[in-house]
Amino acid sequence: MTTTPVETVTTGPIEGSVKHYQEVDGLRIPVRRINMTNGEHFDVYDTSGPYTDDTATIDVETGLPKLRADWGRPEVAGPPTQLAWARQGIITPEMRFIAAREGVAPELVRDEVAIGRAVIPANHNHPELEPTIIGKKFLVKINANIGNSAVSSSIAEEVEKMVWATRWGADTIMDLSTGKNIHETREWIMRNSPVPVGTVPIYQALEKVNGDPTALTWEIYRDTVIEQCEQGVDYMTVHAGVLLRYVPLTAKRVTGIVSRGGSIMAAWCLAHHQESFLYTNFAELCEILAKYDVTFSLGDGLRPGSIADANDEAQFAELRTLGELTKIAKSHGVQVMIEGPGHVPMHKIVENVRLEEELCEEAPFYTLGPLATDIAPAYDHITSAIGAAIIAQAGTAMLCYVTPKEHLGLPNRDDVKVGVITYKIAAHAADLAKAHPHAQDRDNELSKARFEFRWHDQFALALDPDTAREYHDETLPAEPAKSAHFCSMCGPKFCSMRISADVRDFAQQNGLETQEDIDRMIAAGMAEKSAEFADAGNKVYLPIVS
Amino acid sequence: MTTTPVETVTTGPIEGSVKHYQEVDGLRIPVRRINMTNGEHFDVYDTSGPYTDDTATIDVETGLPKLRADWGRPEVAGPPTQLAWARQGIITPEMRFIAAREGVAPELVRDEVAIGRAVIPANHNHPELEPTIIGKKFLVKINANIGNSAVSSSIAEEVEKMVWATRWGADTIMDLSTGKNIHETREWIMRNSPVPVGTVPIYQALEKVNGDPTALTWEIYRDTVIEQCEQGVDYMTVHAGVLLRYVPLTAKRVTGIVSRGGSIMAAWCLAHHQESFLYTNFAELCEILAKYDVTFSLGDGLRPGSIADANDEAQFAELRTLGELTKIAKSHGVQVMIEGPGHVPMHKIVENVRLEEELCEEAPFYTLGPLATDIAPAYDHITSAIGAAIIAQAGTAMLCYVTPKEHLGLPNRDDVKVGVITYKIAAHAADLAKAHPHAQDRDNELSKARFEFRWHDQFALALDPDTAREYHDETLPAEPAKSAHFCSMCGPKFCSMRISADVRDFAQQNGLETQEDIDRMIAAGMAEKSAEFADAGNKVYLPIVS
C-alpha cells in the first residue's frame, strides 16, 4: 500500500450495543449485541467488521486481520470455487460461517450454492472477508456503491464511506471509482473491507484508454480483470449481454441506455460493428474468474432508466442473453448473479423476477431499486425503496441501494447512511413478507420496548439509534423523559399506549386470558370490575414527569 | 377570529412554476404551470390554494376568498349532501370542479359519489374550499396531520404548517390539536384552508372534561361535533366501531390499542361497562353531519400498532362493525370513508383492502401508512411509504402521511414537508400502477428533460424542486452546469445518458426507425456507418464545462 493518508475511519460500537462473538464450531460469528434495560439482550446480524469492536486495534495502513487465511481450501479436482465444492457435497468453512450467521443449517447453504440459487462472493485473495451469502432463501442483502468520480472525492473519503456503509448494514460494497487512482483506492478498500467488494472492471479499462470506449480491446479488459482478481475483488459486473443487435432497440426509448457499462459497450459495438468482446470472449473470462472464485454479476446494461422504458424489448432481450451466459459460467464452476432494473412501475415489478428466474435458472437477482416513479429526484432513495421492497418480496436476493443524490450528484457520507438505512428497511420488510425465520423477532422486541416506554431500548433496537434519539430529544431532551409514559407527539394525557397498557393490566388482573373469559365477562356485566378500572384510569393521568 | 398573531405564512409560486387557472365551464381550476426551457409547458394538479398565486392578496386575518359562496345548492328534497344529490342524478358545481381537476367526466364523479365509492368532503360552512374527491377511481390523495399538543407548538405554527403542507401537495389536512386553544386554532385553519379539513372531535371533547375519558358523555361529545360542524370541518373521525366486547381482544396484543380515539373509547367502555356512546347514538350523529354535509371518517380505533398485531381478530371485528355503520350513515345520506391501519407486513396488506371493500360497500379506504416494519423509528415516513404505495395500488383512496418524527415527537415544518413529499411519491407510484389516465405524463416529461440535460426543467418537474436543485448544486453550483451533459455522480466521461443520446442520434441519422430497419442494419453490417459513429463518439467527450 502507498502512503496516501486515510485520516480517520469511524470506530466504536453503535449506541446501545456492543460487539459480541458467538463461538460456533470453532468459528467466531460477529453479532451486534443490544443489552436492554430490562436485563435481556438481543443479537443482531452484523456487517460492520472489527470497526465496531472496542477491543480491536484498527490500523488502516495494515488492513484488517486475515480472518480466512488459515481456513484452508478443499483439495479436490475441479475449479476452486464454492460452487464446485458445493456440487461435490463439501461444506466449506465459509458455508459454516454463513449458516451460523443466518441461523440456518449448513446443508441448506451448500444445497443452495450447489444449484446456483445462492452465491458466496469470496475471492481467495480477500482473506479479510467475513463471508456472506446472497440467495432468496436467506436474508435479503443490500449493496452500497461508493467510489470517486473525476469531479469529486478522495481515497480517504472512500475508505471511510466503506467503513461507514458497513457500520449501518451494507452487506457488500461496490467500488465504482472512475477518476484518478482507481487501483490504489481499491487496494485501500480491499485490505480494509470486512464485506465482499464488487467492481465494474470496464470503468478502469476505460481509464486506460483515456475515456474513449471505441479504443477498448479485449486484451486491455482482460488484463484489468486479472489485476482486480489479484487484488481480491469478490464479484464483478460484466455487461456481456449488451449485444450489437440489441443496441438499436434502445433508439426509441425515452431515456436510451442509462447503464454506464451498457452505454460504453453499446458505443464500442456500434463503432466497430462487431459483437461485444465481452460476449465473444466470455469463456476465457470464466476461466479467469474461476481461478480466484470471483463471482459474476451479469450486468443489465440495457436496464430501463425511466418508467416509460420499463420491461421493454431491449431489456428482456438482454435478459435472455444473460440466461445463456449463466449456463456457460456455471459450466465453468463460476458463481453467478444477475443484475436487474432500474425504473419500473409497481405493477410491472414482479414480472422481472419471474422472467429472471425462468431464464437464468434462479441465479440470485440483484436489482437497483427499482424506482417506482421518475418524478422525485432528491428522494429517489424512497421512490426506489418502494420498488426494492416489492421486488425483494418477489424473490430478489440483493438490493443495490440508491441515495438521495441519485441523478443529481455524488453521495456524501450522510447520503450513504440514509441510503443504507433506507435499504435495510426495504430488505427487512421483504424478510418479514417472506416469513424468514426470526425476521420478526426484532420488530417484536422493538414494539415491546415501545409499549413499555423503554425509550433507550427502543433507540438501541432501531436501525439508526442516533437519529431516533436525536428526534426524540428535540422536544424532550431531559433524561427523565427516557422513561416517561408519553412523548411530545401526543403529550401525557393522550398517549394511547399508556391507556392501553391500563386496559391490559385490567384484563390480566381479572383473569381475561381466553376468549371464554372474555365472553364470560361480557355476559356477567361486572360492574365492580368497571369501577376498578375507573380507579386505575384515574391513576393513569398522574403526571410522571412534571 | 381573535387577534392571536399569525406572523407569516409561505407565499409565492414553487420554483420553476406559476399559478395558472384553467377556465372550465365557468369555473376557474387552479393548476401549477411549469414553463419549460424548451418552450413547452406542463400543468400539475395543484392543492396549494391562492398562496402560490403571485397576484393574490393573502391576509390570514381575513381568510381566503369564499370561492363556493355563490355556487348555490340544489333545491331538492332530502339531506343537503353531495351523496343525496348524486343519487338524484344532480351534478353539483363541486362535482364539475373536481371533474375538471381530475381530467375525467362529471358523470363519473357523480356516479362514484352516488354509490358511495367516492366522497367529496365539503362542509357548507367551508366556502373557502377548492373541492377534491376521494375514491379509488380518482388520483390517490394524501392527508397531512397537523395540530399542536400540550407539550409543543403554537397557533401560528399550525396555520403555517397547513399552508406549507398544501404547498407541497397535501390534498386534505387534519387538525389533531389536543392542547390549549383548540377552537381558536381550528378557526384560523378553517378560514385559511383551501383543502378539506378533518378533525377527531373526541380530542376536544376530552379537553372539556379535563382529560378524563371516563367523564365523557354523549351530550358533551354531540355539542363538540356541532361546534365543529358550524366552523366548517369537512370530515370527522369517529371511533364508533370500538365496542365493549372488542376491548378484551386487545389484551394479548404486543402493542394493545394505539389509536388515541380508540384508547379513549375503550377506557370509557370498560369504566362504565356500557356500549360506546358513539355506537348507541350513531343515528343522531348521522342527522347532525347530514345537515352540514360533513363526511364520516369511521376511525379504526383498534388498528394494529405493530407487525405482530396486524390483521388480528380485534382489528377485523371492528372493521365488520364499521361496515354496519357505513350502511346506517349512507341511509341518512351521509358520505363515509373508512380508516385503516397502521402497522402491517407487506404480505398482509392486500387482505385489508379486500375485506374493507367487502364489508363496507367499497366506501373509500383511508389508511395510515401502513408501516411495513417496526424497526426504523426516525424513518417511519419510509417504512410506511412502502406500505402506503402497496395499499394504494390495491385500491386505497387516501393515504394519511407519516413523518420522520412518528413515534418520537411532534413534527416540525421540515418534517411536514418530508412527510408530504414522501406520500406524494407513494400516491403517484400507485396512480402509475393503477394506470390512472395521464399519471405517467409527468414521469415522461421529467425523464425527457433528464435525458436532454435540461436541468432546470428536471428540477421544476420534480415534486420538490428546491431540494433537487440544492443537491445538484452541492457539487456543481455554477450556472453552466445547468446545461452540462453530465453531473458529478459519474463525471463527464462516464455519463451514460450522454453516450446513449449519441446512440440515438446515430440511429436516427441512419433511418433506424422500425424493427425492419434495425434488422436490415444488422444484416448489412454497415462498416461506414460504424465509422460515422466513431467520429460522433470522439465528439462526445469534448468537455462542455471546463
Side-chain angles (χ1 to χ4, degrees), chain A residues 258 374 379 447 464 474 496, chain B residues 258 373-374 379 405 447 464 496:
Chain A
V258 296
D374 304 339
Y379 297 81
S447 289
D464 178 358
E474 264 181 38
S496 62
Chain B
V258 296
T373 167
D374 304 339
Y379 298 81
K405 291 281 169 61
S447 289
D464 178 0
S496 62

Side-chain angles (χ1 to χ4, degrees), chain A residues 177-329:
Chain A
S177 294
T178 57
K180 284 174 191 161
N181 309 318
I182 293 186
H183 182 99
E184 194 189 2
T185 304
R186 190 169 52 238
E187 186 63 23
W188 280 93
I189 290 172
M190 289 306 316
R191 300 289 72 81
N192 287 288
S193 175
V195 303
V197 175
T199 60
V200 188
I202 199 89
Y203 295 173
Q204 187 182 4
L206 191 66
E207 291 292 334
K208 292 180 180 176
V209 293
N210 299 315
D212 176 3
T214 65
L216 284 166
T217 65
W218 161 245
E219 290 71 24
I220 290 169
Y221 182 82
R222 181 196 58 201
D223 293 348
T224 307
V225 166
I226 293 171
E227 171 189 339
Q228 298 197 5
C229 284
E230 284 290 330
Q231 280 187 302
V233 169
D234 300 291
Y235 66 92
M236 294 183 187
T237 296
V238 179
H239 298 95
V242 180
L243 302 189
L244 173 61
R245 65 178 179 277
Y246 301 156
V247 177
L249 297 175
T250 67
K252 296 272 191 181
R253 279 179 157 186
V254 169
T255 47
I257 301 174
V258 296
S259 150
R260 284 189 261 171
S263 64
I264 292 165
M265 290 314 300
W268 189 91
C269 289
L270 277 189
H272 294 277
H273 205 265
Q274 284 179 15
E275 198 45 276
S276 158
F277 60 77
L278 297 175
Y279 183 78
T280 55
N281 294 284
F282 193 72
E284 190 180 340
L285 198 53
C286 290
E287 282 166 31
I288 298 166
L289 266 58
K291 221 174 110 184
Y292 301 86
D293 200 6
V294 171
T295 299
F296 271 117
S297 186
L298 293 178
D300 55 336
L302 303 181
R303 67 169 176 269
S306 57
I307 293 297
D309 296 341
N311 294 21
D312 73 352
E313 178 53 22
Q315 183 193 340
F316 287 154
E318 180 187 32
L319 186 58
R320 280 188 289 276
T321 299
L322 298 188
E324 243 182 72
L325 297 171
T326 300
K327 289 185 184 64
I328 297 170

Side-chain angles (χ1 to χ4, degrees), chain A residues 301-371:
Chain A
L302 303 181
R303 67 169 176 269
S306 57
I307 293 297
D309 296 341
N311 294 21
D312 73 352
E313 178 53 22
Q315 183 193 340
F316 287 154
E318 180 187 32
L319 186 58
R320 280 188 289 276
T321 299
L322 298 188
E324 243 182 72
L325 297 171
T326 300
K327 289 185 184 64
I328 297 170
K330 284 164 75 177
S331 75
H332 285 83
V334 181
Q335 304 186 87
V336 186
M337 51 186 175
I338 306 292
E339 296 186 7
H343 291 237
V344 186
M346 287 198 288
H347 63 302
K348 293 188 178 178
I349 287 176
V350 172
E351 186 186 358
N352 279 274
V353 182
R354 295 295 152 251
L355 206 55
E356 188 272 345
E357 291 184 342
E358 185 191 317
L359 296 172
C360 305
E361 303 183 338
E362 295 186 85
F365 204 23
Y366 167 29
T367 62
L368 179 67
L371 285 68

Side-chain angles (χ1 to χ4, degrees), chain B residues 498-513:
Chain B
R498 192 165 157 187
I499 299 174
S500 109
D502 291 309
V503 169
R504 179 149 75 174
D505 291 348
F506 178 77
Q508 279 174 348
Q509 285 156 20
N510 291 289
L512 301 172
E513 296 290 318

